[in-house]
Amino acid sequence: MLDKLNMFIALAREEHFGRAADSLGITQPSLSAGIKQLEQQLGVLLVWRGSRFGGLTPEGQRVLEWARRIVGDVRGMRDEMRATRHGLAGYVRLAVIPTALTVASQLTVRFAEAHPNVRFILRSCTSVELLSLIENLQADAGISYLDNEPLGRVTAVPLYREQYHLICGAGHGLAGRQVIDWGDLAGVPLCLLTPDMQNRRIINHSLHLAGVRPEVTIQSNSTLALIAHVEAGPWATVLPRQLSQYLAIGRGIRVIPIRENRPQHAVGLIAPHREPHTPILQALLQMARAMAEAE
């Protein structure tokens, strides 16, 4: 049953029999047979079928919720029993929005020092992808925005609030300023993250409130690419303080605070809303709380 539930979760995630089979390392006929056996065991149709995957039936949607819960609980049970025998050990799959990667490193470094037998696998992704990874049991936890867009049922620990800074070359027209307003970016050539990033949507909203229509000529899903363009050309970019200061080290660029007139967005650690959490995840949440208190 557990293997079949894993197959069903993979099919719901990939929405394609072939891709789901590949993700599990099995053949497509084996996947199809497993789904049919699950339907027979439960006595309901789970998947609309035609020449290709046609989506989940209403019963399939409900079974998917149960499947995620059951598979997640079984993994948690195994992790807890392993911790009882060997202490905290194993892997944590952590999904992180690009603008929070520097803060993620602070958390993972502190955790690794306290628990040297735990390894991390970090994945940079959008906030929407992050929630999907957690929901589909492909990530154990994530670091993302907490208060700008819906999160669903998760456990959240705030880590910090974003403070935006302009990054520009030393010869840029705004380079001599100690602080700027969002309105000062009118007419400034910008390179920003792509619109699928929540950071970009927040920046767009701030510029809109200031009456600025941004002149974005370079877009990338890589913050490193943004900094490379700031160094090489006439562009400026906008990033959170922690990331801005890190990326500016050793480079001839300026980092200038942007004055804010409204509450700033919270970023934090999120995990599936499940009790009890695995020992590793519980320890990670506790470390995040301690880190936030220290800040």
Side-chain angles (χ1 to χ4, degrees):
M1 173 66 79
L2 194 62
D3 288 341
K4 295 182 183 70
L5 292 177
N6 272 311
M7 292 180 187
F8 184 57
I9 291 171
L11 179 60
R13 180 183 69 241
E14 300 294 339
E15 298 183 340
H16 187 278
F17 280 91
R19 289 195 301 268
D22 289 342
S23 72
L24 296 172
I26 61 176
T27 65
Q28 184 170 332
S30 296
L31 176 72
S32 298
I35 299 299
K36 287 181 180 178
Q37 290 169 11
L38 182 61
E39 290 176 324
Q40 291 169 358
Q41 287 178 294
L42 297 177
V44 294
L45 183 68
L46 301 176
V47 180
W48 296 118
R49 293 177 179 83
S51 58
R52 62 187 64 186
F53 176 82
L56 301 183
T57 66
E59 294 81 3
Q61 293 287 355
R62 184 61 180 144
V63 169
L64 178 61
E65 296 177 17
W66 278 103
R68 288 167 173 164
R69 189 183 312 170
I70 292 168
V71 172
D73 285 346
V74 170
R75 290 181 182 179
M77 178 183 66
R78 289 173 175 167
D79 288 345
E80 185 167 339
M81 294 305 100
R82 183 171 61 245
T84 301
R85 297 193 309 272
H86 307 295
L88 292 187
Y91 286 90
V92 176
R93 300 165 300 169
L94 188 63
V96 186
I97 57 173
T99 53
L101 286 169
T102 52
V103 174
S105 69
Q106 298 171 20
L107 178 62
T108 55
V109 166
R110 296 184 190 189
F111 196 85
E113 290 174 348
H115 307 287
N117 292 324
V118 175
R119 305 288 185 266
F120 281 89
I121 301 174
L122 267 68
R123 177 170 177 175
S124 176
C125 58
T126 69
S127 58
V128 173
E129 291 170 338
L130 184 150
L131 291 175
S132 177
L133 289 171
I134 291 177
E135 184 179 50
N136 287 302
L137 308 178
Q138 294 175 290
D140 302 302
I143 297 179
S144 185
Y145 293 98
L146 302 184
D147 56 7
N148 190 53
E149 295 180 357
L151 292 176
R153 277 176 63 84
V154 297
T155 300
V157 177
L159 290 171
Y160 66 96
R161 287 193 173 273
E162 284 192 331
Q163 301 170 0
Y164 286 104
H165 285 54
L166 180 76
I167 307 176
C168 62
H172 194 277
L174 296 173
R177 300 279 294 274
Q178 295 303 309
V179 64
I180 66 169
D181 296 300
W182 287 103
D184 294 326
L185 298 183
V188 174
L190 296 172
C191 52
L192 298 175
L193 289 171
T194 48
D196 60 326
M197 299 285 183
Q198 192 171 165
N199 168 270
R200 171 67 182 279
R201 296 193 289 273
I202 291 172
I203 290 173
N204 282 351
H205 183 62
S206 295
L207 291 169
H208 174 74
L209 291 177
V212 174
R213 185 173 183 176
E215 294 189 14
V216 184
T217 54
I218 300 290
Q219 301 181 81
S220 175
N221 63 356
S222 166
T223 56
L224 185 58
L226 301 184
I227 294 299
H229 281 84
V230 168
E231 281 190 290
W235 298 279
T237 191
V238 178
L239 291 170
R241 174 178 60 84
Q242 292 90 337
L243 183 61
S244 299
Q245 293 173 343
Y246 175 79
L247 292 174
I249 295 174
R251 294 183 168 94
I253 55 180
R254 289 272 291 127
V255 177
I256 307 165
I258 301 176
R259 187 181 288 110
E260 295 283 359
N261 298 316
R262 57 195 180 90
Q264 296 157 333
H265 295 288
V267 176
L269 179 70
I270 62 175
H273 185 76
R274 181 180 295 118
E275 294 293 344
H277 287 299
T278 65
I280 289 180
L281 200 50
Q282 185 62 40
L284 187 66
L285 290 166
Q286 292 174 352
M287 181 71 71
R289 293 186 186 100
M291 181 172 152
E293 290 173 2
E295 289 294 326

PDB file of all heavy atoms in Angstrom, residues 8-23 53 136 138:
ATOM      1  N   PHE A   8       1.060   7.144  -6.468  1.00  0.00           N
ATOM      2  CA  PHE A   8      -0.060   8.051  -6.680  1.00  0.00           C
ATOM      3  C   PHE A   8       0.366   9.505  -6.444  1.00  0.00           C
ATOM      4  O   PHE A   8      -0.015  10.406  -7.198  1.00  0.00           O
ATOM      5  CB  PHE A   8      -1.212   7.665  -5.759  1.00  0.00           C
ATOM      6  CG  PHE A   8      -2.451   8.483  -5.979  1.00  0.00           C
ATOM      7  CD1 PHE A   8      -3.064   8.537  -7.219  1.00  0.00           C
ATOM      8  CD2 PHE A   8      -3.009   9.210  -4.936  1.00  0.00           C
ATOM      9  CE1 PHE A   8      -4.214   9.288  -7.430  1.00  0.00           C
ATOM     10  CE2 PHE A   8      -4.146   9.964  -5.135  1.00  0.00           C
ATOM     11  CZ  PHE A   8      -4.754  10.010  -6.382  1.00  0.00           C
ATOM     12  N   ILE A   9       1.157   9.733  -5.402  1.00  0.00           N
ATOM     13  CA  ILE A   9       1.666  11.082  -5.127  1.00  0.00           C
ATOM     14  C   ILE A   9       2.518  11.573  -6.288  1.00  0.00           C
ATOM     15  O   ILE A   9       2.411  12.727  -6.722  1.00  0.00           O
ATOM     16  CB  ILE A   9       2.473  11.101  -3.813  1.00  0.00           C
ATOM     17  CG1 ILE A   9       1.542  10.875  -2.613  1.00  0.00           C
ATOM     18  CG2 ILE A   9       3.214  12.427  -3.647  1.00  0.00           C
ATOM     19  CD1 ILE A   9       2.278  10.670  -1.302  1.00  0.00           C
ATOM     20  N   ALA A  10       3.378  10.703  -6.807  1.00  0.00           N
ATOM     21  CA  ALA A  10       4.240  11.082  -7.934  1.00  0.00           C
ATOM     22  C   ALA A  10       3.407  11.404  -9.173  1.00  0.00           C
ATOM     23  O   ALA A  10       3.696  12.377  -9.888  1.00  0.00           O
ATOM     24  CB  ALA A  10       5.228   9.952  -8.235  1.00  0.00           C
ATOM     25  N   LEU A  11       2.369  10.624  -9.436  1.00  0.00           N
ATOM     26  CA  LEU A  11       1.524  10.877 -10.603  1.00  0.00           C
ATOM     27  C   LEU A  11       0.785  12.200 -10.455  1.00  0.00           C
ATOM     28  O   LEU A  11       0.686  12.980 -11.412  1.00  0.00           O
ATOM     29  CB  LEU A  11       0.531   9.736 -10.782  1.00  0.00           C
ATOM     30  CG  LEU A  11      -0.447   9.878 -11.958  1.00  0.00           C
ATOM     31  CD1 LEU A  11       0.307   9.976 -13.279  1.00  0.00           C
ATOM     32  CD2 LEU A  11      -1.438   8.708 -11.979  1.00  0.00           C
ATOM     33  N   ALA A  12       0.272  12.482  -9.273  1.00  0.00           N
ATOM     34  CA  ALA A  12      -0.426  13.750  -9.040  1.00  0.00           C
ATOM     35  C   ALA A  12       0.531  14.921  -9.198  1.00  0.00           C
ATOM     36  O   ALA A  12       0.150  15.988  -9.691  1.00  0.00           O
ATOM     37  CB  ALA A  12      -1.043  13.750  -7.646  1.00  0.00           C
ATOM     38  N   ARG A  13       1.775  14.742  -8.789  1.00  0.00           N
ATOM     39  CA  ARG A  13       2.771  15.811  -8.889  1.00  0.00           C
ATOM     40  C   ARG A  13       3.190  16.066 -10.336  1.00  0.00           C
ATOM     41  O   ARG A  13       3.233  17.210 -10.790  1.00  0.00           O
ATOM     42  CB  ARG A  13       3.999  15.435  -8.054  1.00  0.00           C
ATOM     43  CG  ARG A  13       5.120  16.468  -8.081  1.00  0.00           C
ATOM     44  CD  ARG A  13       6.328  15.989  -7.303  1.00  0.00           C
ATOM     45  NE  ARG A  13       7.010  14.874  -7.938  1.00  0.00           N
ATOM     46  CZ  ARG A  13       7.157  13.667  -7.391  1.00  0.00           C
ATOM     47  NH1 ARG A  13       6.662  13.400  -6.205  1.00  0.00           N
ATOM     48  NH2 ARG A  13       7.804  12.707  -8.038  1.00  0.00           N
ATOM     49  N   GLU A  14       3.474  15.002 -11.069  1.00  0.00           N
ATOM     50  CA  GLU A  14       4.003  15.135 -12.428  1.00  0.00           C
ATOM     51  C   GLU A  14       2.910  15.321 -13.474  1.00  0.00           C
ATOM     52  O   GLU A  14       3.176  15.842 -14.563  1.00  0.00           O
ATOM     53  CB  GLU A  14       4.849  13.908 -12.789  1.00  0.00           C
ATOM     54  CG  GLU A  14       6.047  13.670 -11.878  1.00  0.00           C
ATOM     55  CD  GLU A  14       7.089  14.747 -11.992  1.00  0.00           C
ATOM     56  OE1 GLU A  14       7.108  15.461 -13.024  1.00  0.00           O
ATOM     57  OE2 GLU A  14       7.899  14.904 -11.050  1.00  0.00           O
ATOM     58  N   GLU A  15       1.687  14.854 -13.162  1.00  0.00           N
ATOM     59  CA  GLU A  15       0.563  14.922 -14.103  1.00  0.00           C
ATOM     60  C   GLU A  15       0.897  14.265 -15.435  1.00  0.00           C
ATOM     61  O   GLU A  15       0.456  14.715 -16.500  1.00  0.00           O
ATOM     62  CB  GLU A  15       0.119  16.380 -14.315  1.00  0.00           C
ATOM     63  CG  GLU A  15      -0.369  17.034 -13.027  1.00  0.00           C
ATOM     64  CD  GLU A  15      -0.866  18.444 -13.257  1.00  0.00           C
ATOM     65  OE1 GLU A  15      -0.500  19.045 -14.280  1.00  0.00           O
ATOM     66  OE2 GLU A  15      -1.636  18.943 -12.411  1.00  0.00           O
ATOM     67  N   HIS A  16       1.678  13.198 -15.363  1.00  0.00           N
ATOM     68  CA  HIS A  16       2.100  12.489 -16.585  1.00  0.00           C
ATOM     69  C   HIS A  16       2.626  11.125 -16.148  1.00  0.00           C
ATOM     70  O   HIS A  16       3.506  11.042 -15.274  1.00  0.00           O
ATOM     71  CB  HIS A  16       3.186  13.287 -17.301  1.00  0.00           C
ATOM     72  CG  HIS A  16       3.564  12.747 -18.639  1.00  0.00           C
ATOM     73  ND1 HIS A  16       4.447  11.696 -18.789  1.00  0.00           N
ATOM     74  CD2 HIS A  16       3.185  13.101 -19.900  1.00  0.00           C
ATOM     75  CE1 HIS A  16       4.606  11.448 -20.077  1.00  0.00           C
ATOM     76  NE2 HIS A  16       3.841  12.267 -20.768  1.00  0.00           N
ATOM     77  N   PHE A  17       2.096  10.058 -16.731  1.00  0.00           N
ATOM     78  CA  PHE A  17       2.500   8.717 -16.308  1.00  0.00           C
ATOM     79  C   PHE A  17       3.983   8.456 -16.538  1.00  0.00           C
ATOM     80  O   PHE A  17       4.661   7.880 -15.681  1.00  0.00           O
ATOM     81  CB  PHE A  17       1.646   7.666 -17.042  1.00  0.00           C
ATOM     82  CG  PHE A  17       0.278   7.464 -16.450  1.00  0.00           C
ATOM     83  CD1 PHE A  17      -0.810   8.202 -16.906  1.00  0.00           C
ATOM     84  CD2 PHE A  17       0.077   6.540 -15.439  1.00  0.00           C
ATOM     85  CE1 PHE A  17      -2.072   8.023 -16.364  1.00  0.00           C
ATOM     86  CE2 PHE A  17      -1.196   6.352 -14.887  1.00  0.00           C
ATOM     87  CZ  PHE A  17      -2.263   7.105 -15.347  1.00  0.00           C
ATOM     88  N   GLY A  18       4.490   8.871 -17.702  1.00  0.00           N
ATOM     89  CA  GLY A  18       5.890   8.617 -18.008  1.00  0.00           C
ATOM     90  C   GLY A  18       6.833   9.347 -17.071  1.00  0.00           C
ATOM     91  O   GLY A  18       7.798   8.762 -16.554  1.00  0.00           O
ATOM     92  N   ARG A  19       6.572  10.642 -16.847  1.00  0.00           N
ATOM     93  CA  ARG A  19       7.443  11.426 -15.961  1.00  0.00           C
ATOM     94  C   ARG A  19       7.365  10.917 -14.522  1.00  0.00           C
ATOM     95  O   ARG A  19       8.376  10.882 -13.816  1.00  0.00           O
ATOM     96  CB  ARG A  19       7.077  12.910 -16.022  1.00  0.00           C
ATOM     97  CG  ARG A  19       7.449  13.594 -17.327  1.00  0.00           C
ATOM     98  CD  ARG A  19       7.408  15.108 -17.176  1.00  0.00           C
ATOM     99  NE  ARG A  19       6.095  15.596 -16.782  1.00  0.00           N
ATOM    100  CZ  ARG A  19       5.160  15.979 -17.646  1.00  0.00           C
ATOM    101  NH1 ARG A  19       5.387  15.905 -18.947  1.00  0.00           N
ATOM    102  NH2 ARG A  19       3.981  16.432 -17.214  1.00  0.00           N
ATOM    103  N   ALA A  20       6.165  10.535 -14.088  1.00  0.00           N
ATOM    104  CA  ALA A  20       6.023  10.006 -12.731  1.00  0.00           C
ATOM    105  C   ALA A  20       6.809   8.715 -12.563  1.00  0.00           C
ATOM    106  O   ALA A  20       7.484   8.509 -11.546  1.00  0.00           O
ATOM    107  CB  ALA A  20       4.541   9.769 -12.419  1.00  0.00           C
ATOM    108  N   ALA A  21       6.735   7.852 -13.568  1.00  0.00           N
ATOM    109  CA  ALA A  21       7.491   6.597 -13.502  1.00  0.00           C
ATOM    110  C   ALA A  21       8.989   6.877 -13.458  1.00  0.00           C
ATOM    111  O   ALA A  21       9.725   6.267 -12.669  1.00  0.00           O
ATOM    112  CB  ALA A  21       7.136   5.713 -14.698  1.00  0.00           C
ATOM    113  N   ASP A  22       9.454   7.798 -14.294  1.00  0.00           N
ATOM    114  CA  ASP A  22      10.880   8.146 -14.309  1.00  0.00           C
ATOM    115  C   ASP A  22      11.329   8.686 -12.955  1.00  0.00           C
ATOM    116  O   ASP A  22      12.433   8.378 -12.485  1.00  0.00           O
ATOM    117  CB  ASP A  22      11.161   9.189 -15.395  1.00  0.00           C
ATOM    118  CG  ASP A  22      11.056   8.614 -16.795  1.00  0.00           C
ATOM    119  OD1 ASP A  22      11.106   7.373 -16.929  1.00  0.00           O
ATOM    120  OD2 ASP A  22      10.916   9.397 -17.759  1.00  0.00           O
ATOM    121  N   SER A  23      10.493   9.511 -12.323  1.00  0.00           N
ATOM    122  CA  SER A  23      10.880  10.100 -11.042  1.00  0.00           C
ATOM    123  C   SER A  23      11.033   9.047  -9.955  1.00  0.00           C
ATOM    124  O   SER A  23      11.767   9.250  -8.984  1.00  0.00           O
ATOM    125  CB  SER A  23       9.847  11.147 -10.616  1.00  0.00           C
ATOM    126  OG  SER A  23       8.632  10.540 -10.197  1.00  0.00           O
ATOM    127  N   PHE A  53      -2.920  11.266 -19.202  1.00  0.00           N
ATOM    128  CA  PHE A  53      -3.414  11.623 -17.868  1.00  0.00           C
ATOM    129  C   PHE A  53      -4.446  12.743 -17.978  1.00  0.00           C
ATOM    130  O   PHE A  53      -4.187  13.784 -18.578  1.00  0.00           O
ATOM    131  CB  PHE A  53      -2.231  12.077 -17.001  1.00  0.00           C
ATOM    132  CG  PHE A  53      -2.612  12.572 -15.634  1.00  0.00           C
ATOM    133  CD1 PHE A  53      -2.853  11.666 -14.603  1.00  0.00           C
ATOM    134  CD2 PHE A  53      -2.720  13.925 -15.363  1.00  0.00           C
ATOM    135  CE1 PHE A  53      -3.196  12.114 -13.344  1.00  0.00           C
ATOM    136  CE2 PHE A  53      -3.059  14.381 -14.104  1.00  0.00           C
ATOM    137  CZ  PHE A  53      -3.302  13.474 -13.088  1.00  0.00           C
ATOM    138  N   ASN A 136       4.309  18.026  -1.705  1.00  0.00           N
ATOM    139  CA  ASN A 136       4.511  16.746  -2.377  1.00  0.00           C
ATOM    140  C   ASN A 136       5.626  15.918  -1.762  1.00  0.00           C
ATOM    141  O   ASN A 136       6.112  14.959  -2.381  1.00  0.00           O
ATOM    142  CB  ASN A 136       4.791  16.973  -3.865  1.00  0.00           C
ATOM    143  CG  ASN A 136       3.549  17.397  -4.623  1.00  0.00           C
ATOM    144  OD1 ASN A 136       2.552  16.687  -4.630  1.00  0.00           O
ATOM    145  ND2 ASN A 136       3.593  18.553  -5.254  1.00  0.00           N
ATOM    146  N   GLN A 138       8.696  16.473  -1.326  1.00  0.00           N
ATOM    147  CA  GLN A 138       9.997  16.544  -1.989  1.00  0.00           C
ATOM    148  C   GLN A 138      10.966  17.457  -1.238  1.00  0.00           C
ATOM    149  O   GLN A 138      12.146  17.493  -1.549  1.00  0.00           O
ATOM    150  CB  GLN A 138       9.830  17.054  -3.420  1.00  0.00           C
ATOM    151  CG  GLN A 138       9.072  16.106  -4.329  1.00  0.00           C
ATOM    152  CD  GLN A 138       8.838  16.720  -5.692  1.00  0.00           C
ATOM    153  OE1 GLN A 138       8.058  17.665  -5.854  1.00  0.00           O
ATOM    154  NE2 GLN A 138       9.534  16.191  -6.684  1.00  0.00           N
TER     155      GLN A 138
END
